[in-house]
Amino acid sequence: MPVRRSFSTTGASRLYIQNNLNNDQTHPSLQADPNAKVYDFRSDTVTAPTDEMFDVMKAASRGDDVFQEDRSVKELEEYMANLCGHEAALFCASGTMTNQLGLRTHLSNPPHSVVCDARSHVFLWEAGGIAFHSRASVSPVICRNGIHVTADEIEGNLIEADIHTAPTRVVSLENTLSGLVMPIDEIRKISELARSRGLAMHLDGARLWNAHIQSGVPMHEYGAQFDSMSLCLSKGVGAPVGSILVGNHTFIDRARHLRKLFGGGWRQVGPLAAVAKHCIENVVPTMPETHKLAKYLSDQLTSMGIRLQVPVHTNMVLIDTTSVGLDVQEDLIPALLQKNIVIGGQKNKSRIVLHHQVDRKGVDTLIEGVREAITARRAVEPEQQQQQQAASLY
């Protein structure tokens, strides 16, 4: 019997990152210390280029990448292809571009569809690119374990070829996802399933280095499970700009053509390629310390009564402040801004992201600010209760 898609009506809790579109982080009326260091925990994309990075960029080649004549770009692409166990690579401007190019290169003959985790960046946060660029629909899978999708769940959501359907052509996974590491054994099972059905495997590996560092799984072992991989260079890696798509020679040649069609051909980008390789070699080795700080932060926050939305595996701490009565935008963001700590979030949820430019002092300052916000909230609660009781008498 062919496997048919099982339509699930199971409810799923929404993470902060799924509700982050109306996120006011400016609070212009608040004045913080202009001479103190600002620690930005909104994302690992916020890291600033260092003077050392600018020195690397000044020493880079300055050829034309559209003509494939730049030495630094070629070195980065060859380095990444070898690292991931693939034949070729393509340097692009963003992770959204490398994801969409990868999927579009696989998806050439609609009707067709992509199956992925319902929390995936390619589904939620790339402006509907799968529909726009690839003319494909998406089958989002809600994982029952709250951490990662399983091979059984993917199989249950595959769409077979039928005159009424858009059959599944690509399985897209993400590692890490909300900071969670997907086990390599489950990835292997899904890869074996996909390849047995003639489906392409794509990985959004925007933070794959974090998964690699935390799990110890070599990058080429991850690479062996996928036909294409997108790896962001401006998140945990800390480069100013860029992302890499890897695959075989034919795949990358086609993706390069599509990159031009997307308007993504860029010229003298050797400096960006050179600094990206520098960051891989110098920032990635600092990730274990970043992960330790994230675990330390989560332990301190939970000791105050704050709940975690998901476990902390790598560099992300997703919190729910309902239990301590804090509103993230009204109570927490203003209190932390007074200490030059920047976070995002709304209502009772926030995603706190650590990176190589966050140190123990910044984490301790954040912890202190949260503790003070909780104390301030508890101090006003009795007064609010009295006011509510008095109002109920009238």
Side-chain angles (χ1 to χ4, degrees):
M1 291 287 292
V3 176
R4 308 298 296 179
R5 183 182 178 196
S6 56
F7 292 91
S8 173
T9 57
T10 303
S13 60
R14 294 175 67 80
L15 301 176
Y16 148 69
I17 192 63
Q18 293 172 272
N19 294 284
N20 191 27
L21 296 180
N22 300 304
N23 186 8
D24 176 17
Q25 298 160 349
T26 55
H27 293 276
S29 62
L30 292 177
Q31 298 297 319
D33 181 357
N35 298 314
K37 179 177 179 179
V38 174
Y39 290 95
D40 196 333
F41 290 86
R42 289 173 297 171
S43 176
D44 44 10
T45 61
V46 300
T47 54
T50 63
D51 291 342
E52 183 181 9
M53 292 181 192
F54 278 106
D55 289 339
V56 171
M57 287 189 273
K58 286 191 291 185
S61 57
R62 305 179 187 186
D64 191 312
D65 179 54
V66 174
F67 295 157
Q68 296 181 252
E69 294 175 351
D70 187 81
R71 173 180 50 80
S72 294
V73 172
K74 287 184 177 180
E75 288 177 357
L76 174 66
E77 291 174 342
E78 290 172 4
Y79 173 84
M80 285 303 306
N82 291 332
L83 182 69
C84 296
H86 281 261
E87 294 178 354
L90 181 66
F91 183 42
C92 297
S94 71
T96 293
M97 179 174 284
T98 48
N99 271 329
Q100 293 302 319
L101 282 173
L103 293 169
R104 176 64 183 83
T105 303
H106 288 304
L107 295 165
S108 58
N109 189 26
H112 43 213
S113 63
V114 176
V115 63
C116 65
D117 191 304
R119 303 164 296 174
S120 294
H121 196 275
V122 296
F123 175 53
L124 293 176
W125 298 109
E126 298 187 5
I130 294 176
F132 185 85
H133 297 297
S134 299
R135 296 178 292 168
S137 61
V138 178
S139 301
V141 180
I142 298 173
C143 66
R144 295 184 181 90
N145 61 32
I147 307 296
H148 60 83
V149 295
T150 65
D152 288 342
E153 289 167 340
I154 291 293
E155 185 173 24
N157 283 272
L158 295 180
I159 301 176
E160 301 290 339
D162 183 280
I163 195 171
H164 304 286
T165 68
T168 306
R169 293 289 180 248
V170 179
V171 177
S172 180
L173 302 181
E174 185 172 339
N175 196 18
T176 64
L177 194 162
S178 297
L180 300 169
V181 177
M182 188 170 188
I184 187 64
D185 289 344
E186 198 65 45
I187 294 174
R188 289 193 188 103
K189 291 178 185 177
I190 294 172
S191 181
E192 291 170 3
L193 166 68
R195 288 166 174 174
S196 73
R197 304 291 182 88
L199 308 178
M201 285 285 292
H202 174 76
L203 176 68
D204 177 357
R207 296 180 175 90
L208 187 63
W209 273 281
N210 294 94
H212 156 65
I213 291 294
Q214 190 65 22
S215 68
V217 176
M219 296 288 280
H220 65 80
E221 178 59 24
Y222 284 121
Q225 313 309 318
F226 295 93
D227 301 294
S228 59
M229 298 167 63
S230 165
L231 300 104
C232 193
L233 301 164
S234 63
K235 292 188 172 70
V237 177
V241 177
S243 187
I244 282 277
L245 179 67
V246 300
N248 63 37
H249 286 300
T250 301
F251 180 90
I252 293 299
D253 285 346
R254 175 61 176 158
R256 188 182 298 275
H257 194 178
L258 289 170
R259 184 186 69 172
K260 184 66 173 174
L261 174 66
F262 279 27
W266 46 357
R267 298 293 181 174
Q268 287 73 26
V269 292
L272 294 178
V275 74
K277 189 169 183 292
H278 166 83
C279 289
I280 294 169
E281 295 169 345
N282 292 277
V283 175
V284 170
T286 70
M287 284 184 177
E289 182 59 28
T290 299
H291 295 174
K292 289 178 184 177
L293 279 175
K295 186 63 171 64
Y296 165 70
L297 173 60
S298 70
D299 289 344
Q300 294 297 309
L301 295 178
T302 55
S303 72
M304 300 179 205
I306 290 174
R307 186 178 67 83
L308 298 179
Q309 298 180 58
V310 293
V312 175
H313 289 179
T314 54
N315 66 321
M316 293 189 185
V317 184
L318 277 71
I319 62 172
D320 186 327
T321 60
T322 304
S323 57
V324 294
L326 291 181
D327 182 286
V328 171
Q329 287 184 302
E330 297 298 323
D331 302 319
L332 201 50
I333 289 177
L336 292 175
L337 276 174
Q338 291 178 344
K339 296 180 177 292
N340 280 20
I341 300 292
V342 184
I343 67 167
Q346 63 176 5
K347 295 184 179 179
N348 58 1
K349 293 182 180 179
S350 177
R351 185 188 73 161
I352 301 171
V353 186
L354 281 71
H355 47 77
H356 75 102
Q357 291 180 338
V358 168
D359 55 24
R360 175 65 178 262
K361 180 180 178 182
V363 172
D364 283 337
T365 304
L366 189 155
I367 292 168
E368 179 186 6
V370 174
R371 184 176 289 113
E372 291 176 1
I374 293 173
T375 300
R377 166 53 59 185
R378 288 173 178 167
V380 302
E381 283 176 353
E383 180 181 346
Q384 290 177 340
Q385 290 174 356
Q386 291 175 358
Q387 291 174 347
Q388 291 171 356
Q389 291 171 355
S392 67
L393 296 176
Y394 294 97

